[in-house]
Amino acid sequence: MLSSFLPLVIALLSVSSGTVVGGEQRVDTVLSRLGIDVRTLIIEGALSTTGEQSMSGIPFEVIVEEDTMRMTTSGPFGIVAARIFAQPDSFVVVNYFMREVFDGDPSSSTLAQAMPIPLTVTDLQMLVRGRLPGDLTRFVRGERRKDSSVLFIARRTDGVEYALVDTATGILRQYQRKNLDGQLVMNITFSDVRTVSGLGIPHAVDVAFDDRKQTVSFRFSKVTANEPITSSFDVQIPASFTRKTYR
């Protein structure tokens, strides 16, 4: 969907479109409002992967309160396989099967290589919350579309980011990264939008990596939004586990 657009940044005309006004770069209001009404989430579902590692129907649970997230994946007989605790600037991943602990910067590019699925923790937070990570002033509006969606573009030193937002529903529909050669690094699509507590929540998230050689699909079977969180965010870390920090 996004590959048909040339990475051409069109001049913007208003403050809400992310222009530089008075020397200050402003965040486009369409981007700043993504997921703004979601205060808490409890998600149950399953994930499947293809490519270097093929897995099917791995159960997971995610709890989110504002910018804090805990994700748990389960193995046979409901045994906890891994647990992730994440905030915007820090994370801890505990792999109970491999007896390993990772921590540090959730956006570390080398972290994805060590994860069971090739996603940074920041990527996981994005696909759960439907919010773009990082400084949103890097995005500007691209070509106009005939429907209610708006394409945003951000140029990076290593490539280009694209984000497609449905302005009618206020939902992020697609996020994509390409390298300088135009090869697909990562593509995330959000679909099967259902109404939960008056909010539109995508229940199907599909991710493709490495020019689509690897994929991960998330299917949400149960979603609760804006209800009090009674579960603990604590993550137990056995002292005997090895630890590696990512910066």
Side-chain angles (χ1 to χ4, degrees), residues 4-114:
S4 62
F5 291 94
L6 296 175
L8 174 65
V9 177
I10 295 178
L12 306 179
L13 301 177
S14 66
V15 172
S16 66
S17 296
T19 55
V20 177
V21 178
E24 181 182 356
Q25 185 79 12
R26 303 292 182 88
V27 176
D28 193 298
T29 54
V30 169
L31 298 183
S32 64
R33 290 198 59 81
L34 287 174
I36 195 171
D37 295 322
V38 178
R39 299 182 302 277
T40 68
L41 281 173
I42 303 173
I43 301 172
E44 296 176 14
L47 66 89
S48 301
T49 68
T50 65
E52 293 183 3
Q53 296 188 41
S54 292
M55 302 179 291
S56 180
I58 305 298
F60 69 84
E61 180 195 54
V62 179
I63 57 174
V64 175
E65 187 167 23
E66 301 297 344
D67 290 328
T68 300
M69 180 188 81
R70 193 194 75 178
M71 179 175 182
T72 303
T73 58
S74 302
F77 309 108
I79 298 173
V80 174
R83 186 160 279 163
I84 300 170
F85 172 82
Q87 293 181 308
D89 57 356
S90 63
F91 81 94
V92 174
V93 175
V94 183
N95 187 328
Y96 292 99
F97 284 172
M98 301 302 293
R99 303 175 63 84
E100 297 173 325
V101 179
F102 306 139
D103 62 16
D105 180 357
S107 63
S108 170
S109 58
T110 56
L111 171 64
Q113 301 171 16

Side-chain angles (χ1 to χ4, degrees), residues 20-222:
V20 177
V21 178
E24 181 182 356
Q25 185 79 12
R26 303 292 182 88
V27 176
D28 193 298
T29 54
V30 169
L31 298 183
S32 64
R33 290 198 59 81
L34 287 174
I36 195 171
D37 295 322
V38 178
R39 299 182 302 277
T40 68
L41 281 173
I42 303 173
I43 301 172
E44 296 176 14
L47 66 89
S48 301
T49 68
T50 65
E52 293 183 3
Q53 296 188 41
S54 292
M55 302 179 291
S56 180
I58 305 298
F60 69 84
E61 180 195 54
V62 179
I63 57 174
V64 175
E65 187 167 23
E66 301 297 344
D67 290 328
T68 300
M69 180 188 81
R70 193 194 75 178
M71 179 175 182
T72 303
T73 58
S74 302
F77 309 108
I79 298 173
V80 174
R83 186 160 279 163
I84 300 170
F85 172 82
Q87 293 181 308
D89 57 356
S90 63
F91 81 94
V92 174
V93 175
V94 183
N95 187 328
Y96 292 99
F97 284 172
M98 301 302 293
R99 303 175 63 84
E100 297 173 325
V101 179
F102 306 139
D103 62 16
D105 180 357
S107 63
S108 170
S109 58
T110 56
L111 171 64
Q113 301 171 16
M115 293 281 280
I117 52 178
L119 286 164
T120 68
V121 174
T122 297
D123 293 334
L124 284 172
Q125 291 172 301
M126 172 171 52
L127 66 85
V128 169
R129 290 291 307 272
R131 291 181 60 87
L132 294 166
D135 183 0
L136 298 181
T137 61
R138 70 187 188 278
F139 284 97
V140 295
R141 293 199 183 199
E143 295 185 4
R144 295 180 180 272
R145 294 175 60 99
K146 294 180 179 180
D147 58 14
S148 61
S149 60
V150 176
L151 178 70
F152 292 88
I153 303 171
R155 291 187 176 277
R156 303 156 47 119
T157 56
D158 59 350
V160 185
E161 292 175 277
Y162 300 91
L164 189 66
V165 180
D166 185 341
T167 58
T169 60
I171 292 173
L172 179 64
R173 288 291 190 174
Q174 190 172 10
Y175 170 80
Q176 191 176 90
R177 288 202 298 260
K178 289 186 174 182
N179 63 22
L180 293 174
D181 296 328
Q183 186 178 53
L184 180 69
V185 177
M186 183 171 71
N187 182 74
I188 305 177
T189 57
F190 303 81
S191 59
D192 189 14
V193 178
R194 307 179 195 176
T195 301
V196 179
S197 299
L199 304 171
I201 306 290
H203 282 57
V205 183
D206 294 282
V207 191
F209 309 90
D210 191 20
D211 208 23
R212 304 188 188 279
K213 295 182 179 67
Q214 299 183 70
T215 67
V216 182
S217 64
F218 296 82
R219 295 294 180 266
F220 302 166
S221 57
K222 182 179 179 181

